[in-house]
Amino acid sequence: MAGESGARGEGVPEADVWSRHIRPVRAGGAAEAIARRLGELIGARMLVAGDRFPSEKALAEMFGVAPMTVRHSMAVLREEGLVETRRGYRGGTYVVEDVLSRMKELVALHPYPADQVEELTAWRQAVSGEASARAARRADAEGHRRLRELAARTHELLPDADGYRTADAAFHLAIAELSGSRRLWEAEQGIQHELTLLLAAHPGGAEARSTPGRLHEPLTRAIVAGDAERARAEFRVHAQATLDMCLLFSRQTPVGE
């Protein structure tokens, strides 16, 4: 998608993505764990259409495994249709251009029932609500500037479902990073991955996205004001708005569609 990289705002240098988000894995089930982690980075919109992966050798060193293990992991992602390997000039493995369409197809095979959507929301309120409160206590002026820019970016991209999803994920990941907790940050990555899967099936229109989208602003104001409890409460309202939107579209989608 041509606009996906732009939807990330200033973007994250490719080398930084890998150095910050890849850590060694345990030997048992390593190939599956690596495929799951890379898929999560795609789902969290930290890797978008057209992004290139490091070489198998480089990834193997990052994960602390043999190159053959990484080869098996990439084969899993290719089978799922999330990545492709190109030959010749600029050859390598890339996130496919229609990755969100492919994720929609994967979700259609295993749709989210209402109880799982509600459970995800409860998990969001625990993780992202705490991250919002911590960000209110810890964020500095530069963090405030960044949040304001990301909130404005999500508003600009309301008409573009794919661009909005990328910008929305970046906004919430920024809050988690500003919390100062790596555990919350990594948990938020998993949440954004699940939200991408969920919203791929029910993206709604600009009007539907506008309700949770507008709620970025009061959340941002609470964090900038340093009001931890108000930030937690504003996030709770935002999460509920997203839940309401998802449940509405789940009820409207015919079985088997």
PDB file of all heavy atoms in Angstrom, residues 111-136:
ATOM      1  N   PRO A 111     -12.947 -16.615  12.444  1.00  0.00           N
ATOM      2  CA  PRO A 111     -13.487 -15.318  12.881  1.00  0.00           C
ATOM      3  C   PRO A 111     -13.523 -15.185  14.398  1.00  0.00           C
ATOM      4  O   PRO A 111     -13.588 -16.173  15.127  1.00  0.00           O
ATOM      5  CB  PRO A 111     -14.901 -15.311  12.280  1.00  0.00           C
ATOM      6  CG  PRO A 111     -15.241 -16.756  12.085  1.00  0.00           C
ATOM      7  CD  PRO A 111     -13.954 -17.442  11.766  1.00  0.00           C
ATOM      8  N   TYR A 112     -13.474 -13.930  14.852  1.00  0.00           N
ATOM      9  CA  TYR A 112     -13.532 -13.630  16.281  1.00  0.00           C
ATOM     10  C   TYR A 112     -14.982 -13.656  16.755  1.00  0.00           C
ATOM     11  O   TYR A 112     -15.787 -12.832  16.305  1.00  0.00           O
ATOM     12  CB  TYR A 112     -12.964 -12.238  16.553  1.00  0.00           C
ATOM     13  CG  TYR A 112     -11.467 -12.164  16.682  1.00  0.00           C
ATOM     14  CD1 TYR A 112     -10.645 -12.227  15.565  1.00  0.00           C
ATOM     15  CD2 TYR A 112     -10.868 -12.012  17.927  1.00  0.00           C
ATOM     16  CE1 TYR A 112      -9.266 -12.142  15.675  1.00  0.00           C
ATOM     17  CE2 TYR A 112      -9.493 -11.919  18.055  1.00  0.00           C
ATOM     18  CZ  TYR A 112      -8.699 -11.990  16.924  1.00  0.00           C
ATOM     19  OH  TYR A 112      -7.333 -11.914  17.038  1.00  0.00           O
ATOM     20  N   PRO A 113     -15.351 -14.547  17.684  1.00  0.00           N
ATOM     21  CA  PRO A 113     -16.693 -14.459  18.278  1.00  0.00           C
ATOM     22  C   PRO A 113     -16.759 -13.290  19.251  1.00  0.00           C
ATOM     23  O   PRO A 113     -15.731 -12.758  19.695  1.00  0.00           O
ATOM     24  CB  PRO A 113     -16.838 -15.795  19.007  1.00  0.00           C
ATOM     25  CG  PRO A 113     -15.440 -16.222  19.319  1.00  0.00           C
ATOM     26  CD  PRO A 113     -14.585 -15.694  18.194  1.00  0.00           C
ATOM     27  N   ALA A 114     -17.981 -12.883  19.590  1.00  0.00           N
ATOM     28  CA  ALA A 114     -18.181 -11.703  20.436  1.00  0.00           C
ATOM     29  C   ALA A 114     -17.467 -11.824  21.777  1.00  0.00           C
ATOM     30  O   ALA A 114     -16.899 -10.838  22.282  1.00  0.00           O
ATOM     31  CB  ALA A 114     -19.672 -11.464  20.652  1.00  0.00           C
ATOM     32  N   ASP A 115     -17.460 -13.016  22.376  1.00  0.00           N
ATOM     33  CA  ASP A 115     -16.837 -13.142  23.698  1.00  0.00           C
ATOM     34  C   ASP A 115     -15.328 -12.917  23.633  1.00  0.00           C
ATOM     35  O   ASP A 115     -14.732 -12.380  24.564  1.00  0.00           O
ATOM     36  CB  ASP A 115     -17.174 -14.500  24.333  1.00  0.00           C
ATOM     37  CG  ASP A 115     -16.646 -15.678  23.532  1.00  0.00           C
ATOM     38  OD1 ASP A 115     -16.464 -15.540  22.304  1.00  0.00           O
ATOM     39  OD2 ASP A 115     -16.426 -16.755  24.128  1.00  0.00           O
ATOM     40  N   GLN A 116     -14.688 -13.283  22.508  1.00  0.00           N
ATOM     41  CA  GLN A 116     -13.254 -13.048  22.370  1.00  0.00           C
ATOM     42  C   GLN A 116     -12.956 -11.566  22.143  1.00  0.00           C
ATOM     43  O   GLN A 116     -11.927 -11.055  22.594  1.00  0.00           O
ATOM     44  CB  GLN A 116     -12.681 -13.890  21.230  1.00  0.00           C
ATOM     45  CG  GLN A 116     -12.590 -15.368  21.559  1.00  0.00           C
ATOM     46  CD  GLN A 116     -11.827 -16.154  20.509  1.00  0.00           C
ATOM     47  OE1 GLN A 116     -11.072 -15.592  19.710  1.00  0.00           O
ATOM     48  NE2 GLN A 116     -12.024 -17.462  20.489  1.00  0.00           N
ATOM     49  N   VAL A 117     -13.860 -10.879  21.440  1.00  0.00           N
ATOM     50  CA  VAL A 117     -13.693  -9.440  21.247  1.00  0.00           C
ATOM     51  C   VAL A 117     -13.782  -8.732  22.601  1.00  0.00           C
ATOM     52  O   VAL A 117     -12.990  -7.829  22.906  1.00  0.00           O
ATOM     53  CB  VAL A 117     -14.758  -8.890  20.282  1.00  0.00           C
ATOM     54  CG1 VAL A 117     -14.581  -7.379  20.104  1.00  0.00           C
ATOM     55  CG2 VAL A 117     -14.672  -9.585  18.925  1.00  0.00           C
ATOM     56  N   GLU A 118     -14.737  -9.151  23.418  1.00  0.00           N
ATOM     57  CA  GLU A 118     -14.890  -8.547  24.745  1.00  0.00           C
ATOM     58  C   GLU A 118     -13.699  -8.882  25.643  1.00  0.00           C
ATOM     59  O   GLU A 118     -13.246  -8.035  26.433  1.00  0.00           O
ATOM     60  CB  GLU A 118     -16.195  -9.033  25.375  1.00  0.00           C
ATOM     61  CG  GLU A 118     -17.428  -8.488  24.653  1.00  0.00           C
ATOM     62  CD  GLU A 118     -18.726  -9.118  25.114  1.00  0.00           C
ATOM     63  OE1 GLU A 118     -18.661 -10.157  25.809  1.00  0.00           O
ATOM     64  OE2 GLU A 118     -19.800  -8.589  24.787  1.00  0.00           O
ATOM     65  N   GLU A 119     -13.171 -10.089  25.511  1.00  0.00           N
ATOM     66  CA  GLU A 119     -12.000 -10.470  26.310  1.00  0.00           C
ATOM     67  C   GLU A 119     -10.783  -9.648  25.897  1.00  0.00           C
ATOM     68  O   GLU A 119      -9.987  -9.221  26.752  1.00  0.00           O
ATOM     69  CB  GLU A 119     -11.718 -11.962  26.136  1.00  0.00           C
ATOM     70  CG  GLU A 119     -10.572 -12.465  26.995  1.00  0.00           C
ATOM     71  CD  GLU A 119     -10.340 -13.964  26.849  1.00  0.00           C
ATOM     72  OE1 GLU A 119     -11.257 -14.670  26.380  1.00  0.00           O
ATOM     73  OE2 GLU A 119      -9.240 -14.414  27.199  1.00  0.00           O
ATOM     74  N   LEU A 120     -10.624  -9.416  24.581  1.00  0.00           N
ATOM     75  CA  LEU A 120      -9.523  -8.582  24.102  1.00  0.00           C
ATOM     76  C   LEU A 120      -9.649  -7.165  24.664  1.00  0.00           C
ATOM     77  O   LEU A 120      -8.653  -6.555  25.060  1.00  0.00           O
ATOM     78  CB  LEU A 120      -9.513  -8.542  22.574  1.00  0.00           C
ATOM     79  CG  LEU A 120      -8.495  -7.591  21.916  1.00  0.00           C
ATOM     80  CD1 LEU A 120      -7.069  -7.943  22.326  1.00  0.00           C
ATOM     81  CD2 LEU A 120      -8.643  -7.619  20.395  1.00  0.00           C
ATOM     82  N   THR A 121     -10.879  -6.667  24.738  1.00  0.00           N
ATOM     83  CA  THR A 121     -11.097  -5.326  25.283  1.00  0.00           C
ATOM     84  C   THR A 121     -10.711  -5.265  26.759  1.00  0.00           C
ATOM     85  O   THR A 121     -10.101  -4.288  27.214  1.00  0.00           O
ATOM     86  CB  THR A 121     -12.564  -4.907  25.100  1.00  0.00           C
ATOM     87  OG1 THR A 121     -12.879  -4.914  23.703  1.00  0.00           O
ATOM     88  CG2 THR A 121     -12.815  -3.514  25.670  1.00  0.00           C
ATOM     89  N   ALA A 122     -11.050  -6.304  27.511  1.00  0.00           N
ATOM     90  CA  ALA A 122     -10.664  -6.350  28.926  1.00  0.00           C
ATOM     91  C   ALA A 122      -9.144  -6.344  29.070  1.00  0.00           C
ATOM     92  O   ALA A 122      -8.585  -5.673  29.957  1.00  0.00           O
ATOM     93  CB  ALA A 122     -11.267  -7.582  29.595  1.00  0.00           C
ATOM     94  N   TRP A 123      -8.467  -7.076  28.194  1.00  0.00           N
ATOM     95  CA  TRP A 123      -7.001  -7.122  28.210  1.00  0.00           C
ATOM     96  C   TRP A 123      -6.431  -5.752  27.836  1.00  0.00           C
ATOM     97  O   TRP A 123      -5.476  -5.262  28.432  1.00  0.00           O
ATOM     98  CB  TRP A 123      -6.515  -8.203  27.250  1.00  0.00           C
ATOM     99  CG  TRP A 123      -5.039  -8.372  27.118  1.00  0.00           C
ATOM    100  CD1 TRP A 123      -4.323  -8.385  25.958  1.00  0.00           C
ATOM    101  CD2 TRP A 123      -4.068  -8.599  28.157  1.00  0.00           C
ATOM    102  NE1 TRP A 123      -2.985  -8.586  26.200  1.00  0.00           N
ATOM    103  CE2 TRP A 123      -2.801  -8.721  27.542  1.00  0.00           C
ATOM    104  CE3 TRP A 123      -4.163  -8.693  29.549  1.00  0.00           C
ATOM    105  CZ2 TRP A 123      -1.639  -8.930  28.272  1.00  0.00           C
ATOM    106  CZ3 TRP A 123      -2.988  -8.905  30.274  1.00  0.00           C
ATOM    107  CH2 TRP A 123      -1.752  -9.029  29.634  1.00  0.00           C
ATOM    108  N   ARG A 124      -7.048  -5.094  26.849  1.00  0.00           N
ATOM    109  CA  ARG A 124      -6.621  -3.746  26.473  1.00  0.00           C
ATOM    110  C   ARG A 124      -6.747  -2.791  27.652  1.00  0.00           C
ATOM    111  O   ARG A 124      -5.845  -1.974  27.896  1.00  0.00           O
ATOM    112  CB  ARG A 124      -7.481  -3.209  25.331  1.00  0.00           C
ATOM    113  CG  ARG A 124      -7.239  -3.780  23.971  1.00  0.00           C
ATOM    114  CD  ARG A 124      -8.010  -2.956  22.925  1.00  0.00           C
ATOM    115  NE  ARG A 124      -7.295  -1.727  22.622  1.00  0.00           N
ATOM    116  CZ  ARG A 124      -7.828  -0.703  21.953  1.00  0.00           C
ATOM    117  NH1 ARG A 124      -9.093  -0.748  21.576  1.00  0.00           N
ATOM    118  NH2 ARG A 124      -7.108   0.372  21.692  1.00  0.00           N
ATOM    119  N   GLN A 125      -7.865  -2.862  28.357  1.00  0.00           N
ATOM    120  CA  GLN A 125      -8.074  -1.936  29.466  1.00  0.00           C
ATOM    121  C   GLN A 125      -7.041  -2.145  30.566  1.00  0.00           C
ATOM    122  O   GLN A 125      -6.594  -1.182  31.194  1.00  0.00           O
ATOM    123  CB  GLN A 125      -9.497  -2.082  29.994  1.00  0.00           C
ATOM    124  CG  GLN A 125     -10.546  -1.564  29.025  1.00  0.00           C
ATOM    125  CD  GLN A 125     -11.962  -1.791  29.490  1.00  0.00           C
ATOM    126  OE1 GLN A 125     -12.198  -2.564  30.417  1.00  0.00           O
ATOM    127  NE2 GLN A 125     -12.922  -1.135  28.857  1.00  0.00           N
ATOM    128  N   ALA A 126      -6.642  -3.407  30.761  1.00  0.00           N
ATOM    129  CA  ALA A 126      -5.623  -3.693  31.774  1.00  0.00           C
ATOM    130  C   ALA A 126      -4.248  -3.200  31.328  1.00  0.00           C
ATOM    131  O   ALA A 126      -3.550  -2.502  32.081  1.00  0.00           O
ATOM    132  CB  ALA A 126      -5.589  -5.190  32.064  1.00  0.00           C
ATOM    133  N   VAL A 127      -3.863  -3.541  30.109  1.00  0.00           N
ATOM    134  CA  VAL A 127      -2.514  -3.217  29.615  1.00  0.00           C
ATOM    135  C   VAL A 127      -2.424  -1.762  29.162  1.00  0.00           C
ATOM    136  O   VAL A 127      -1.598  -0.980  29.639  1.00  0.00           O
ATOM    137  CB  VAL A 127      -2.130  -4.170  28.460  1.00  0.00           C
ATOM    138  CG1 VAL A 127      -0.830  -3.710  27.786  1.00  0.00           C
ATOM    139  CG2 VAL A 127      -1.981  -5.597  28.969  1.00  0.00           C
ATOM    140  N   SER A 128      -3.284  -1.407  28.210  1.00  0.00           N
ATOM    141  CA  SER A 128      -3.195  -0.070  27.610  1.00  0.00           C
ATOM    142  C   SER A 128      -3.668   1.003  28.577  1.00  0.00           C
ATOM    143  O   SER A 128      -3.184   2.145  28.526  1.00  0.00           O
ATOM    144  CB  SER A 128      -4.017  -0.028  26.322  1.00  0.00           C
ATOM    145  OG  SER A 128      -3.706  -1.131  25.481  1.00  0.00           O
ATOM    146  N   GLY A 129      -4.616   0.671  29.451  1.00  0.00           N
ATOM    147  CA  GLY A 129      -5.042   1.632  30.463  1.00  0.00           C
ATOM    148  C   GLY A 129      -3.908   1.966  31.416  1.00  0.00           C
ATOM    149  O   GLY A 129      -3.675   3.140  31.751  1.00  0.00           O
ATOM    150  N   GLU A 130      -3.186   0.942  31.853  1.00  0.00           N
ATOM    151  CA  GLU A 130      -2.036   1.176  32.734  1.00  0.00           C
ATOM    152  C   GLU A 130      -0.933   1.925  31.994  1.00  0.00           C
ATOM    153  O   GLU A 130      -0.298   2.831  32.565  1.00  0.00           O
ATOM    154  CB  GLU A 130      -1.502  -0.153  33.260  1.00  0.00           C
ATOM    155  CG  GLU A 130      -0.252  -0.049  34.129  1.00  0.00           C
ATOM    156  CD  GLU A 130      -0.468   0.758  35.407  1.00  0.00           C
ATOM    157  OE1 GLU A 130      -1.636   0.931  35.828  1.00  0.00           O
ATOM    158  OE2 GLU A 130       0.530   1.223  35.986  1.00  0.00           O
ATOM    159  N   ALA A 131      -0.711   1.573  30.718  1.00  0.00           N
ATOM    160  CA  ALA A 131       0.304   2.287  29.931  1.00  0.00           C
ATOM    161  C   ALA A 131      -0.058   3.761  29.813  1.00  0.00           C
ATOM    162  O   ALA A 131       0.812   4.636  29.912  1.00  0.00           O
ATOM    163  CB  ALA A 131       0.435   1.661  28.548  1.00  0.00           C
ATOM    164  N   SER A 132      -1.341   4.068  29.620  1.00  0.00           N
ATOM    165  CA  SER A 132      -1.782   5.461  29.508  1.00  0.00           C
ATOM    166  C   SER A 132      -1.522   6.210  30.812  1.00  0.00           C
ATOM    167  O   SER A 132      -1.055   7.366  30.803  1.00  0.00           O
ATOM    168  CB  SER A 132      -3.274   5.512  29.152  1.00  0.00           C
ATOM    169  OG  SER A 132      -3.514   4.910  27.894  1.00  0.00           O
ATOM    170  N   ALA A 133      -1.831   5.571  31.938  1.00  0.00           N
ATOM    171  CA  ALA A 133      -1.613   6.206  33.236  1.00  0.00           C
ATOM    172  C   ALA A 133      -0.124   6.457  33.479  1.00  0.00           C
ATOM    173  O   ALA A 133       0.278   7.543  33.928  1.00  0.00           O
ATOM    174  CB  ALA A 133      -2.193   5.340  34.350  1.00  0.00           C
ATOM    175  N   ARG A 134       0.714   5.469  33.156  1.00  0.00           N
ATOM    176  CA  ARG A 134       2.155   5.628  33.354  1.00  0.00           C
ATOM    177  C   ARG A 134       2.712   6.698  32.414  1.00  0.00           C
ATOM    178  O   ARG A 134       3.595   7.475  32.809  1.00  0.00           O
ATOM    179  CB  ARG A 134       2.868   4.295  33.128  1.00  0.00           C
ATOM    180  CG  ARG A 134       2.687   3.296  34.265  1.00  0.00           C
ATOM    181  CD  ARG A 134       3.347   1.954  33.906  1.00  0.00           C
ATOM    182  NE  ARG A 134       4.774   2.104  33.651  1.00  0.00           N
ATOM    183  CZ  ARG A 134       5.731   1.920  34.554  1.00  0.00           C
ATOM    184  NH1 ARG A 134       5.402   1.585  35.802  1.00  0.00           N
ATOM    185  NH2 ARG A 134       7.002   2.060  34.235  1.00  0.00           N
ATOM    186  N   ALA A 135       2.197   6.745  31.182  1.00  0.00           N
ATOM    187  CA  ALA A 135       2.665   7.762  30.232  1.00  0.00           C
ATOM    188  C   ALA A 135       2.345   9.160  30.749  1.00  0.00           C
ATOM    189  O   ALA A 135       3.144  10.094  30.595  1.00  0.00           O
ATOM    190  CB  ALA A 135       2.030   7.537  28.864  1.00  0.00           C
ATOM    191  N   ALA A 136       1.174   9.306  31.380  1.00  0.00           N
ATOM    192  CA  ALA A 136       0.803  10.613  31.946  1.00  0.00           C
ATOM    193  C   ALA A 136       1.789  11.040  33.026  1.00  0.00           C
ATOM    194  O   ALA A 136       2.084  12.231  33.178  1.00  0.00           O
ATOM    195  CB  ALA A 136      -0.615  10.547  32.503  1.00  0.00           C
TER     196      ALA A 136
END
